[in-house]
Amino acid sequence: MSLDMVESAADVRAVEKVPSNSSSPKKQPTPTSLYRVMWRWHFYAGMIVSPILMVVSITGGIFIFAAETGDFVHHDRLFVDSVGETAPYTAMLASAEQAIPGGKSTRITLHADPSRTAVVSVTPKKQEGEEEKKGRRGRGTSVYVDPYTAHVQQVEKGPDQVGAFFRTVLNIHRRLLAGTTGRIVVELTTTWTIILVLSGIYLWWPRKKEKIKGVWIPRLSGKFYTILRDLHTVPGIYLTPICLLIIVTGLFYTVVWGESFYQVTNPLIGSEVVEKEEPGKGGSKSKGAKEAYVAPKLELQAAMTKARELYPDRDVTLTLPTKSDDHYDVSAINDYARGTYGAMDSTGLKLHRDTGMVMDVEDLWNNDRYWWHTWAYPLHVGSVLGMTTKIFWLVACVLLVAMPFTGIWMWWKRRPKGKTGFPATPTPGGVSRWVWITILVLCFTLPTFGLSVLVIVLFDFALSRIQSWRSPRVA
């Protein structure tokens, strides 16, 4: 990808010196005229996306290593010194409840990684007059227990500062701290970055096969502008596949494109949701009737053992029944954030409180709305091949931060004195039909891009009219 203003201007001057053939019945698009069109799109795309692209790329690069950072900071909390035979799960819950007097265990998480602690969620004793908390603060206190000795390793005290930091980073990355408006701005940036990449590929595309330096190898000697241009162009070409992968997978999490994708694909792959009545949940009980809690016949040890046997390579969370007609809720997910190769595997199910029968299995792969999340997220954050891809993704983020900076700098230095240096409007008829078709396809497949193009066309038209009114007229 390049902002090759020097070569572009040279090409234009060369064409202007060629005498036109007045006998030609029809003006055909020339490579140079198409180059000017692509340069114009590349320029405006860069001007539109540069500030937000830098913010999104910086926050994205930081968030890539959120899991590793948390592990490093909270190593004493999250890891054990030695492994062995797992202690009874009831002993883990008992130790956690002793750490929070009057508390009640509600769930337990066992990791596939044997070096990690078990996490028991304990709901503190409700104080008189205290309302029940909802959301993240109502999930209870996390108690980290050595799964081999059942000893409490650490109790979560207060908000997790590392987690809060990365949640803020993610909020900036997705919403710019501006809610839905911020998400739309990020989506607009994402779609225009696709145009920036595609037009950059065309501008870079070598016209001479024998040319290597400046195309495949950056020139590190000579004029500073040439060095800067090559450092802007050559690394971008090598990392273009990764950049496009990050950008396209990011579209799934946007407002307009993401919802449009769901509306288009759901009739093709979606299934009708049928309400099912769970065993043991009859309609004969009167509303408001308060019955004494009946413990499940399936004990915790057997329930957790079965869940881990079903998914030995995943982190398993078991939520305990709190009512007489509740069953064990099981969530099993692979450790996708720390480098489990491939897709995100997430399954939810219930184990019957008395028989242990598996019920209501819900796999992320089969979710009507979020089935794409299985591959989109690992590809977007670079966890698909572990640390190797995360490093490449980080380099791509750094590149996405640097390229707008170098591109704007080159434009600022090369613009004519006293002028904006904005690319001139191409002459009518100088663009081939396939270019217009490509633009129309992109406008329809990227709705926010299409709307922004309409705004730019109207603005460009108004600007040209104003310039024509100001131009002196020859009598």
Side-chain angles (χ1 to χ4, degrees):
M1 296 176 285
S2 79
L3 293 171
D4 190 3
M5 302 180 69
V6 176
E7 292 184 5
S8 174
D11 289 342
V12 173
R13 288 195 297 270
V15 171
E16 289 175 349
K17 293 179 182 178
V18 178
S20 60
N21 187 0
S22 59
S23 62
S24 177
K26 185 178 180 181
K27 184 178 180 180
Q28 296 294 328
T30 64
T32 302
S33 62
L34 182 56
Y35 191 98
R36 293 181 65 183
V37 172
M38 290 297 181
W39 155 238
R40 194 165 187 262
W41 279 91
H42 192 73
F43 175 85
Y44 281 120
M47 293 296 290
I48 290 172
V49 308
S50 289
I52 306 301
L53 179 60
M54 289 180 179
V55 173
V56 173
S57 300
I58 291 171
T59 53
I62 294 173
F63 193 79
I64 287 175
F65 299 99
E68 289 81 1
T69 303
D71 290 350
F72 176 79
V73 174
H74 299 304
H75 187 274
D76 293 341
R77 172 191 297 180
L78 301 175
F79 295 90
V80 296
D81 296 329
S82 60
V83 300
E85 185 177 349
T86 304
Y89 303 120
T90 51
M92 300 182 201
L93 266 60
S95 294
E97 290 177 351
Q98 287 179 1
I100 303 179
K104 181 67 176 177
S105 300
T106 57
R107 67 170 61 89
I108 178 173
T109 299
L110 270 295
H111 295 272
D113 182 356
S115 66
R116 295 182 68 88
T117 55
V119 185
V120 180
S121 181
V122 180
T123 302
K125 184 178 180 181
K126 185 178 178 181
Q127 301 297 324
E128 186 175 353
E130 181 182 9
E131 295 183 0
E132 183 177 354
K133 295 179 182 179
K134 296 181 180 180
R136 184 179 297 274
R137 294 182 62 191
R139 295 179 183 177
T141 301
S142 294
V143 180
Y144 298 85
V145 181
D146 188 322
Y148 308 103
T149 64
H151 292 161
V152 172
Q153 192 145 311
Q154 198 172 116
V155 177
E156 186 178 51
K157 295 180 181 179
D160 180 5
Q161 298 299 327
V162 176
F165 168 76
F166 281 106
R167 284 193 294 272
T168 302
V169 169
L170 187 60
N171 193 4
I172 298 173
H173 182 75
R174 290 180 174 177
R175 305 178 182 88
L176 303 175
L177 299 178
T180 302
T181 302
R183 290 187 66 187
I184 293 175
V185 173
V186 171
E187 179 175 357
L188 184 64
T189 300
T190 304
T191 55
W192 271 97
T193 303
I194 294 176
I195 308 305
L196 187 67
V197 172
L198 295 179
S199 58
I201 292 174
Y202 179 86
L203 296 176
W204 163 86
W205 197 267
R207 273 65 179 175
K208 297 179 180 180
K209 294 182 179 179
E210 66 275 10
K211 191 174 181 181
I212 296 178
K213 290 186 176 181
V215 177
W216 297 106
I217 301 175
R219 290 165 287 189
L220 302 178
S221 60
K223 294 183 178 180
F224 180 71
Y225 180 86
T226 301
I227 297 173
L228 187 64
R229 173 203 171 277
D230 288 0
L231 292 177
H232 175 86
T233 306
V234 179
I237 285 300
Y238 286 116
L239 289 173
T240 288
I242 296 177
C243 291
L244 280 176
L245 197 58
I246 294 173
I247 295 165
V248 173
T249 52
L251 284 174
F252 287 95
Y253 301 95
T254 57
V255 177
V256 180
W257 194 93
E259 182 62 27
S260 300
F261 178 81
Y262 169 71
Q263 295 297 335
V264 171
T265 59
N266 188 57
L268 302 176
I269 64 175
S271 59
E272 185 179 355
V273 178
V274 180
E275 292 290 339
K276 295 183 294 183
E277 183 175 314
E278 295 181 5
K281 286 193 175 182
S284 59
K285 298 177 183 177
S286 60
K287 286 187 177 181
K290 198 169 183 179
E291 297 184 356
Y293 173 72
V294 178
K297 295 181 181 178
L298 183 69
E299 295 181 350
L300 169 63
Q301 188 71 25
M304 191 62 173
T305 299
K306 182 167 186 176
R308 298 196 73 188
E309 287 175 351
L310 289 171
Y311 302 101
D313 299 327
R314 301 193 197 179
D315 299 341
V316 177
T317 299
L318 185 76
T319 302
L320 283 65
T322 56
K323 299 178 182 178
S324 297
D325 52 3
D326 282 348
H327 302 282
Y328 289 99
D329 282 318
V330 177
S331 173
I333 187 168
N334 62 335
D335 194 4
Y336 59 89
R338 292 171 179 81
T340 300
Y341 291 177
M344 176 191 294
D345 293 323
S346 179
T347 305
L349 56 89
K350 292 182 183 294
L351 292 178
H352 194 281
R353 58 185 287 114
D354 296 327
T355 66
M357 180 179 67
V358 176
M359 307 180 299
D360 300 341
V361 179
E362 297 179 0
D363 201 300
L364 183 60
W365 288 93
N366 299 321
N367 187 282
D368 290 350
R369 179 176 282 272
Y370 298 110
W371 57 268
W372 45 265
H373 190 61
T374 56
W375 277 105
Y377 186 83
L379 289 173
H380 187 64
V381 301
S383 64
V384 64
L385 291 179
M387 185 57 68
T388 301
T389 45
K390 282 195 173 189
I391 292 174
F392 277 107
W393 262 237
L394 175 62
V395 174
C397 288
V398 172
L399 181 72
L400 289 173
V401 173
M403 292 187 73
F405 176 79
T406 55
I408 293 174
W409 188 90
M410 285 189 286
W411 159 70
W412 184 258
K413 285 294 184 182
R414 300 301 302 183
R415 67 188 178 89
K417 187 176 182 179
K419 296 183 179 180
T420 62
F422 291 173
T425 304
T427 56
V431 181
S432 59
R433 185 180 301 175
W434 71 266
V435 175
W436 291 114
I437 293 175
T438 302
I439 293 174
L440 288 175
V441 170
L442 289 172
C443 286
F444 279 105
T445 54
L446 304 172
T448 52
F449 167 71
L451 291 174
S452 62
V453 167
L454 179 61
V455 172
I456 290 174
V457 169
L458 294 175
F459 174 78
D460 198 33
F461 174 77
L463 187 63
S464 62
R465 297 299 297 175
I466 293 173
Q467 290 176 346
S468 64
W469 292 337
R470 291 181 175 179
S471 300
R473 298 183 180 182
V474 180

